[in-house]
Amino acid sequence: ANCDYFFWHPDSTRIYYTAAGSLWLAGIAGGEPRQIVDKAVSGAASPDGKTLVILQENGPTTTVLTLSLPDGKPVLYKQAPFPEKLRVGAEAHFSPDGSKIAVTLSLQSGGGGFEFWILAYPSGTPTRVLATLSASLVRGSGWPAQIVDSQGR
Protein backbone atom coordinates (compact mmCIF):
# COMPACT_ATOMS: atom_id res chain seq x y z
CA ALA A 1 0.00 0.00 0.00
CA ASN A 2 1.11 3.56 -0.63
CA CYS A 3 2.15 5.82 2.23
CA ASP A 4 -0.08 8.91 2.24
CA TYR A 5 1.34 10.75 5.26
CA PHE A 6 4.09 10.10 7.81
CA PHE A 7 5.56 11.51 11.01
CA TRP A 8 8.40 10.55 13.32
CA HIS A 9 8.22 9.14 16.80
CA PRO A 10 10.23 11.55 19.00
CA ASP A 11 12.90 8.91 19.75
CA SER A 12 13.72 8.72 15.99
CA THR A 13 13.75 4.90 16.01
CA ARG A 14 10.18 4.55 14.73
CA ILE A 15 7.96 6.19 12.16
CA TYR A 16 4.18 6.44 11.91
CA TYR A 17 2.52 6.44 8.52
CA THR A 18 -0.93 6.26 6.94
CA ALA A 19 -1.59 3.64 4.29
CA ALA A 20 -4.67 1.73 3.15
CA GLY A 21 -6.83 3.92 5.42
CA SER A 22 -5.00 3.10 8.65
CA LEU A 23 -2.25 4.55 10.83
CA TRP A 24 0.76 2.23 11.21
CA LEU A 25 3.94 2.22 13.30
CA ALA A 26 7.19 0.76 11.94
CA GLY A 27 10.74 0.58 13.23
CA ILE A 28 13.24 2.26 10.95
CA ALA A 29 15.46 -0.83 11.12
CA GLY A 30 12.67 -2.89 9.54
CA GLY A 31 10.34 -5.51 10.91
CA GLU A 32 6.61 -5.94 10.76
CA PRO A 33 4.55 -2.71 10.97
CA ARG A 34 1.90 -2.49 13.71
CA GLN A 35 -1.55 -1.06 12.97
CA ILE A 36 -2.49 1.71 15.42
CA VAL A 37 -5.97 2.87 14.27
CA ASP A 38 -8.31 2.62 11.26
CA LYS A 39 -9.48 5.48 9.04
CA ALA A 40 -6.57 7.79 9.91
CA VAL A 41 -5.84 10.74 7.63
CA SER A 42 -2.89 12.25 9.52
CA GLY A 43 -1.48 12.59 12.98
CA ALA A 44 1.39 13.66 15.20
CA ALA A 45 3.24 12.41 18.26
CA SER A 46 3.63 14.49 21.41
CA PRO A 47 7.21 15.55 22.17
CA ASP A 48 7.48 12.94 24.96
CA GLY A 49 6.11 10.23 22.63
CA LYS A 50 3.33 9.26 25.07
CA THR A 51 0.35 10.61 23.10
CA LEU A 52 -0.82 10.77 19.51
CA VAL A 53 -3.25 13.23 17.97
CA ILE A 54 -5.04 11.65 15.01
CA LEU A 55 -7.39 13.00 12.37
CA GLN A 56 -9.82 10.19 11.55
CA GLU A 57 -12.33 10.02 8.70
CA ASN A 58 -15.82 8.87 9.64
CA GLY A 59 -17.89 8.88 6.45
CA PRO A 60 -18.31 12.47 5.28
CA THR A 61 -16.73 13.97 8.41
CA THR A 62 -13.38 13.99 10.19
CA THR A 63 -12.82 13.87 13.94
CA VAL A 64 -9.84 14.71 16.16
CA LEU A 65 -8.74 11.90 18.46
CA THR A 66 -6.07 11.58 21.12
CA LEU A 67 -4.49 8.26 21.94
CA SER A 68 -2.31 7.47 24.97
CA LEU A 69 0.55 5.13 24.13
CA PRO A 70 1.41 2.36 24.14
CA ASP A 71 -2.00 0.71 24.44
CA GLY A 72 -4.66 3.36 25.01
CA LYS A 73 -7.93 3.63 23.17
CA PRO A 74 -8.66 6.59 20.86
CA VAL A 75 -10.60 9.37 22.62
CA LEU A 76 -12.67 11.95 20.73
CA TYR A 77 -11.53 15.53 21.41
CA LYS A 78 -14.65 17.23 22.84
CA GLN A 79 -13.97 20.66 24.23
CA ALA A 80 -16.28 23.54 23.31
CA PRO A 81 -16.15 25.66 21.24
CA PHE A 82 -14.09 23.28 19.04
CA PRO A 83 -16.42 21.36 16.66
CA GLU A 84 -16.58 17.60 17.24
CA LYS A 85 -17.14 16.86 13.55
CA LEU A 86 -15.19 18.54 10.78
CA ARG A 87 -15.83 18.44 7.05
CA VAL A 88 -12.12 18.10 6.34
CA GLY A 89 -9.27 17.88 8.80
CA ALA A 90 -5.98 18.62 7.10
CA GLU A 91 -3.32 18.35 9.77
CA ALA A 92 -2.60 18.39 13.50
CA HIS A 93 0.66 19.06 15.38
CA PHE A 94 1.72 19.20 19.01
CA SER A 95 3.50 22.31 20.26
CA PRO A 96 7.17 21.79 21.18
CA ASP A 97 6.25 21.58 24.90
CA GLY A 98 3.24 19.27 24.29
CA SER A 99 0.75 21.64 25.94
CA LYS A 100 -1.13 22.56 22.76
CA ILE A 101 -2.27 21.01 19.49
CA ALA A 102 -2.50 23.04 16.28
CA VAL A 103 -5.26 21.87 13.90
CA THR A 104 -6.12 23.01 10.39
CA LEU A 105 -9.68 22.16 9.36
CA SER A 106 -12.64 23.04 7.19
CA LEU A 107 -16.23 22.99 8.41
CA GLN A 108 -17.62 23.52 4.89
CA SER A 109 -18.28 21.00 2.14
CA GLY A 110 -17.15 21.52 -1.42
CA GLY A 111 -13.65 22.79 -0.66
CA GLY A 112 -14.57 25.64 1.68
CA GLY A 113 -11.88 27.67 3.42
CA PHE A 114 -9.68 26.32 6.17
CA GLU A 115 -9.51 27.48 9.78
CA PHE A 116 -6.62 27.31 12.22
CA TRP A 117 -7.26 26.27 15.83
CA ILE A 118 -5.08 25.89 18.94
CA LEU A 119 -6.34 23.17 21.30
CA ALA A 120 -5.12 23.29 24.89
CA TYR A 121 -3.95 19.81 25.86
CA PRO A 122 -4.84 17.86 27.90
CA SER A 123 -7.45 20.39 29.02
CA GLY A 124 -8.41 23.99 28.56
CA THR A 125 -10.37 26.14 26.13
CA PRO A 126 -9.58 25.77 22.42
CA THR A 127 -9.10 28.95 20.38
CA ARG A 128 -9.82 29.63 16.74
CA VAL A 129 -6.79 31.70 15.74
CA LEU A 130 -7.62 32.26 12.07
CA ALA A 131 -11.01 31.94 10.38
CA THR A 132 -9.41 31.89 6.92
CA LEU A 133 -6.11 30.10 6.47
CA SER A 134 -3.95 30.33 3.36
CA ALA A 135 -3.96 27.04 1.43
CA SER A 136 -0.14 27.15 1.37
CA LEU A 137 -0.10 26.72 5.18
CA VAL A 138 -2.59 23.85 5.35
CA ARG A 139 -0.19 20.93 4.73
CA GLY A 140 3.30 20.33 5.99
CA SER A 141 3.74 23.37 8.17
CA GLY A 142 4.80 21.62 11.38
CA TRP A 143 4.14 23.63 14.50
CA PRO A 144 3.08 26.89 12.85
CA ALA A 145 4.65 29.37 15.26
CA GLN A 146 4.73 32.05 12.59
CA ILE A 147 0.90 32.01 12.47
CA VAL A 148 0.57 32.22 16.24
CA ASP A 149 3.19 34.96 16.49
CA SER A 150 1.55 37.01 13.75
CA GLN A 151 -1.71 36.95 15.74
CA GLY A 152 0.00 38.03 18.95
CA ARG A 153 -0.90 34.85 20.87
Side-chain angles (χ1 to χ4, degrees), residues 2-116:
N2 290 334
C3 172
D4 299 314
Y5 183 86
F6 72 91
F7 58 96
W8 286 98
H9 186 280
D11 70 9
S12 300
T13 65
R14 297 169 277 179
I15 196 160
Y16 294 92
Y17 65 94
T18 58
S22 293
L23 179 66
W24 300 84
L25 175 63
I28 62 169
E32 196 65 30
R34 180 171 65 103
Q35 185 178 13
I36 303 297
V37 68
D38 284 330
K39 302 177 186 175
V41 177
S42 65
S46 62
D48 65 7
K50 295 180 180 179
T51 305
L52 296 178
V53 59
I54 301 164
L55 298 181
Q56 184 182 56
E57 286 185 341
N58 294 299
T61 62
T62 301
T63 54
V64 175
L65 307 174
T66 57
L67 174 68
S68 294
L69 297 173
D71 298 317
K73 299 220 181 286
V75 175
L76 177 65
Y77 183 87
K78 297 190 292 187
Q79 182 67 45
F82 188 75
E84 289 182 29
K85 294 183 178 182
L86 322 172
R87 175 65 184 123
V88 175
E91 215 166 273
H93 296 279
F94 275 94
S95 63
D97 68 359
S99 69
K100 297 172 186 64
I101 301 169
V103 178
T104 54
L105 62 94
S106 176
L107 297 174
Q108 303 173 21
S109 59
F114 282 84
E115 298 179 2
F116 176 69

Side-chain angles (χ1 to χ4, degrees), residues 89-93 104-105 114-115 133-141:
E91 215 166 273
H93 296 279
T104 54
L105 62 94
F114 282 84
E115 298 179 2
L133 183 63
S134 168
S136 65
L137 293 174
V138 171
R139 275 279 195 196
S141 56

